[in-house]
Amino acid sequence: MAAAARFFSRRANFKLSLSAVGTGAHSSFGAALLKPSPNCNSRTKTQRRHAAHFTFQPDPVPTQYGEWFIFGEDVAFGGVFRCTVGLRDKYGKDRVFNTPLCEQGIVGFGIGAAVAGATAIAEIQFADYIYPAFDQIVNEAAKYRYRSGNLFDCGSLTIRAPWGCVGHGSLYHSQSPEAFFAHCPGIKVVIPRSPVQAKGLLLSCIADKNPCIFFEPKILYRAAVEQVPEEPYTIPLSQAEILQEGSDVTLVTWGTQIHVMKEVAAMAQEKLGVSCEVIDLQTILPWDTETICKSVVKTGRLLISHEAPITGGFAAEISSTVQEECFLNLEAPISRVCGYDTPFPHIFEPFYIPDKWKCFEAIKKMINY
Amino acid sequence: TLLFLAILSACTVWQWMGTGEIYLLFLTRPVSQLGHGLLHTLSKETVLNFYQNMTLLNTMDRILYESQRQGRISFYMTNYGEEGTHVGSAAALDPNDLVFGQYREAGVLMYRGFPLDLFMAQCYANADDLGKGRQMPVHYGSRDLNFVTISSPLATQLPQAAGAAYAMKRENLNRAVICYFGEGAASEGDAHAGLNFSATLECPLIFFCRNNGYAISTPTSEQYRGDGIAARGPGYGMLSIRVDGNDVFAVYNATKEARRRAVAENQPFLIEAMTYRIGHHSTSDDSSAYRSVDEVNYWDKQDHPISRLRHYMTARGWWSEDDERSWRKQSRKTVMEAFERAEKRLKPNPELLFTDVYQEMTPNLDKQRESLWRHVQQYKEHYPLDLYDKYQH
């Protein structure tokens, strides 16, 4: 905890202003979250959380998912991000268990369990390590229903993995691999921006009758605080959400970058008088083309941003579709503000990430095109 | 603990068969060293059923291999020489046990009762195919018969089998999972994953390795340097056995015992069945490029599971030359009739190109489906529409 506090204070200028978690004092990232009660002053003491920041254990034990289990590396003691804390004690070692250190095995095992009718929730410790499971995901999970003529499927499989930059993650603890999976018909790829979204979207993925990959922005595990409803609820997949309506530019992104975009929208309004429409894509595959295109028809300008490298990144897919559908409505070329075509660097992270200044500059260029 | 099964082969008998083939028959003693009381006494009906399944498979293989050669189907893989591994193991299972295969286990499906019409439908990818024409031939599947649809990537089924077995263990319905793979597929990372997971997670699972000497052209000497696949089991903490894969009774006994213990004790077992791939890898392969005809003939004539079983039956007076002749005629006739029906049947509606990608039709796919429909309406003379069921939109 102390180490974490040091990390946060060092990052005072970091785009998320994590030292002001929950108060919204330095960033509109906080403003996006529900404000804590007036009695709670997180400037003077560390805000206390529930034991497990990610897990709420309802009573009685959920039965609507049939036979279910959650597994992966280090899941049993609570997980390296504490996502499964308390679950084993509550639900038993048959349901919450460690697997050997083998991502292809974790996903393959999950597929088989789902084929046999169980609700399988597989955890990959970091999205950066999902690649050994790529064959199982792309060649097996995604194609199970199609190739069997719907005799078999692994729809009750959900794969979860921490995703995205975290300040110091470097090459192998910062990746955003959604583009690799966007090219794979048969799976769904979902990325939440906040706790409320995370619960609703994750429950949707678990209930969804198709194999889903749920990428969890790891920087938000600690940083994001919201009042999350206790009862179960779902947020529909493949529906983008317009967070803020605008008339001049459409800003599209997902996950952590939403919080950057909201700041960018505020800056654009304040410094340029430009009204931005901010859209959270939420589901990368299958993606909501209708909402995005409708917005671009209205605004005539589109900025897409993501941490993943620009070449072949998902912004390219959105850009291509939008120019097909909205060509005559465009006032300026579609802009992509993304990571560079390099592996994710360690010490150069502040220069690498698509921060609000780069996005702001891109908007300026579009407006003045 | 590694138990070894001792195989004895005694004298040889030459016999000229009605089909013009010469068989070298072995006196087989089905020997089981697995333990007391494990040598199951199988009834005449059961044994005849084994034989008829093995030979029907052989007949179907010959006809479908030929049909590929004649351009009637696109691809085929025969099971020559491995019929004993299929039928022996399938017979030892419960019909509710879930089967994960690789691609050379058609005899398991046949034993369970998959009709010739459906084998053919899949190979012809016609409108009767349960798989809706999406996969290459021999990628069979049957929900009713608990046979998971075959996929081409090798060894992917091993960790999946472990997951399925784990789920079944929780269900507590006395079901097991069997997972077939070749000695080549055993080199894949997924094989290591599947073996390790099943042992650590205590899954009621039988791993059945068909060691048939070749992975396409790669002989076992280039596939591994250790003592085959069975010797790897103890490395995972898994009980393992090596059996003579061409002795259908040995295969039966080993699988029966493995199944019993897998379910009773919730642990996996590894069976390595030593056999030989008499046929080519597939219709795309000509194995004379990498092995001698003499080598193949040795196995075909001197250690064939069908011949060995026939000799066992004839020695007991259960099967005569007349029985053989009339069965061959009858099985050939039923295969040919199914073949002719399959040939005539149209291919599935091209709309089925777009369904089952997800459980639901997505807007994106719907648009693409619409786009193809409009395109084909405009350019219909360039598409082989008369081979397909009516293209309904």
Side-chain angles (χ1 to χ4, degrees), chain A residues 255-274:
Chain A
T256 320
Q257 194 70 359
I258 283 288
H259 306 290
V260 176
M261 279 314 201
K262 287 168 80 173
E263 289 191 43
V264 173
M267 279 167 68
Q269 181 68 69
E270 189 196 312
K271 297 185 207 264
L272 306 170
V274 165

Side-chain angles (χ1 to χ4, degrees), chain B residues 15-153:
Chain B
Q15 191 163 344
W16 180 260
M17 303 300 290
T19 55
E21 287 145 312
I22 301 170
Y23 286 96
L24 208 71
L25 299 176
F26 263 64
L27 254 179
T28 323
R29 283 167 226 171
V31 179
S32 173
Q33 303 286 334
L34 289 160
H36 296 295
L38 291 172
L39 179 58
H40 296 269
T41 313
L42 295 167
S43 69
K44 177 180 169 187
E45 286 68 38
T46 303
V47 174
L48 257 55
N49 188 36
F50 284 11
Y51 184 74
Q52 287 173 345
N53 272 289
M54 287 161 71
T55 48
L56 184 64
L57 174 63
N58 189 272
T59 303
M60 183 179 83
D61 274 352
R62 286 166 200 278
I63 285 167
L64 286 176
Y65 185 90
E66 255 326 288
S67 82
Q68 192 279 340
R69 281 303 182 240
Q70 294 171 15
R72 297 168 190 269
I73 61 176
S74 60
F75 175 81
Y76 193 70
M77 298 177 99
T78 58
N79 301 274
Y80 301 148
E82 300 185 50
E83 299 88 348
T85 61
H86 303 180
V87 170
S89 56
L93 301 170
D94 199 84
N96 286 330
D97 293 340
L98 191 60
V99 175
F100 284 83
Q102 182 168 303
Y103 52 56
R104 219 181 291 277
E105 294 90 14
V108 175
L109 202 45
M110 186 166 273
Y111 185 87
R112 283 193 164 185
F114 200 59
L116 289 171
D117 280 330
L118 290 181
F119 277 110
M120 304 274 175
Q122 199 284 326
C123 288
Y124 275 88
N126 67 32
D128 294 334
D129 177 22
L130 298 179
K132 300 180 189 172
R134 289 157 182 165
Q135 293 215 77
M136 286 169 77
V138 312
H139 289 65
Y140 311 114
S142 168
R143 171 124 235 153
D144 293 342
L145 300 177
N146 295 302
F147 189 97
V148 180
T149 303
I150 300 299
S151 72
S152 305

Side-chain angles (χ1 to χ4, degrees), chain A residues 67 94 97 100 102 104-106 108-109 112-113 135-136 140 144-149 151-152 186-188 210, chain B residues 132 134-135 143 147-149 151 156 159-160 163-164 166 170 189-190 193 197 200 353 355-360:
Chain A
E67 196 51 66
D94 281 356
F97 53 91
C102 177
Q104 65 195 105
I106 290 167
F109 179 91
D135 187 43
Q136 285 284 353
E140 297 287 316
Y144 232 92
R145 190 189 294 277
Y146 187 81
R147 74 189 187 199
S148 69
L151 291 179
F152 298 95
I187 51 169
K188 297 195 175 180
N210 303 287
Chain B
K132 300 180 189 172
R134 289 157 182 165
Q135 293 215 77
R143 171 124 235 153
F147 189 97
V148 180
T149 303
S151 72
T156 48
Q160 292 174 22
Y166 189 90
R170 297 232 0 116
D190 270 345
F197 273 56
T200 54
L353 189 163
T355 56
D356 303 324
V357 178
Y358 296 95
Q359 190 216 28
E360 71 280 7

Side-chain angles (χ1 to χ4, degrees), chain B residues 238-283:
Chain B
M238 192 182 310
L239 293 175
S240 314
I241 189 166
R242 172 173 291 141
V243 299
D244 175 357
N246 293 345
D247 176 345
V248 68
F249 300 127
V251 171
Y252 176 83
N253 286 328
T255 311
K256 192 101 184 151
E257 180 63 0
R259 194 226 176 255
R260 184 186 74 77
R261 291 187 64 179
V263 172
E265 300 163 28
N266 283 322
Q267 60 170 320
F269 286 82
L270 173 59
I271 299 173
E272 183 182 17
M274 307 305 289
T275 179
Y276 187 80
R277 195 197 76 207
I278 289 174
H280 307 299
H281 166 70
S282 72
T283 47

Side-chain angles (χ1 to χ4, degrees), chain A residues 58-77:
Chain A
D59 275 314
V61 177
T63 52
Q64 69 269 42
Y65 305 110
E67 196 51 66
W68 61 265
F69 21 91
I70 182 162
F71 52 91
E73 293 152 28
D74 304 298
V75 161
F77 90 103

Side-chain angles (χ1 to χ4, degrees), chain A residues 49-65:
Chain A
R49 297 173 188 247
H50 268 292
H53 69 243
F54 197 65
T55 55
F56 171 71
Q57 298 147 33
D59 275 314
V61 177
T63 52
Q64 69 269 42
Y65 305 110

